[in-house]
């Protein structure tokens, strides 16, 4: 997704201008943006302060990072299941090279590694 070059401060300022009584069409022309962008911002940032908008951005970034982490772990689990399925379901041993050592330690110990 393309990142906006407009900061949260500017977005909040534009929304406050609209709240102060300026109509949407001239406001959008003045800031060279579409009406759809204005309404999208209003639904996302309407009624927020700048600090709240920054916090929202930080939470969204953290959420994306956590989603990537979960996806990577799901792939790791899938690979382990496939490898264990090919090996007859027996736990890894010295004769069987482990693809992901940290996950093999979990399997060998029977629980999470601390």
């Amino acid at each position: 997704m393309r990142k906006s070059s407009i900061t949260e401060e500017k977005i909040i300022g534009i929304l406050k201008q609209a709240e102060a009584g300026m109509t949407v069409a001239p406001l959008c022309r003045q800031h060279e943006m579409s009406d759809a962008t204005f309404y999208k911002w209003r639904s996302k940032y309407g009624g927020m302060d700048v600090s709240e908008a920054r916090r929202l951005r930080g939470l969204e970034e953290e959420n994306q990072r956590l989603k990537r982490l979960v996806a990577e772990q799901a792939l790791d689990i899938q690979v382990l299941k496939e490898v264990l399925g090919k090996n007859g379901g027996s736990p890894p041993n010295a004769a069987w090279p482990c693809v992901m050592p940290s996950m093999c330690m979990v399997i060998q110990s029977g629980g999470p590694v601390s």
Side-chain angles (χ1 to χ4, degrees):
M1 186 165 61
R2 188 180 140 230
K3 265 198 137 168
S4 176
S5 61
I6 299 178
T7 63
E8 286 89 4
E9 294 88 356
K10 188 165 184 178
I11 292 171
I12 300 293
I14 292 169
L15 294 175
K16 289 198 185 288
Q17 285 179 340
E19 288 174 8
M22 189 169 183
T23 57
V24 174
L27 184 64
C28 290
R29 272 194 304 274
Q30 177 185 352
H31 293 285
E32 298 175 353
M33 62 184 195
S34 69
D35 291 357
T37 299
F38 172 81
Y39 290 115
K40 182 176 67 172
W41 286 348
R42 188 170 74 177
S43 69
K44 186 173 181 177
Y45 297 106
M48 285 189 190
D49 293 333
V50 174
S51 62
E52 292 169 330
R54 284 187 185 144
R55 178 163 162 68
L56 175 65
R57 181 183 60 189
L59 291 172
E60 288 173 340
E61 289 171 357
E62 181 182 10
N63 191 29
Q64 287 300 318
R65 184 183 60 80
L66 292 173
K67 282 182 179 182
R68 278 192 300 274
L69 183 66
V70 167
E72 289 172 4
Q73 287 181 344
L75 283 172
D76 290 347
I77 290 169
Q78 182 180 2
V79 167
L80 280 173
K81 284 181 179 179
E82 290 174 7
V83 169
L84 285 176
K86 291 176 185 173
N87 196 29
S90 61
N93 56 36
W96 181 67
C98 187
V99 178
M100 292 173 283
S102 63
M103 294 302 288
C104 291
M105 291 174 66
V106 171
I107 293 169
Q108 288 174 338
S109 67
V113 178
S114 52

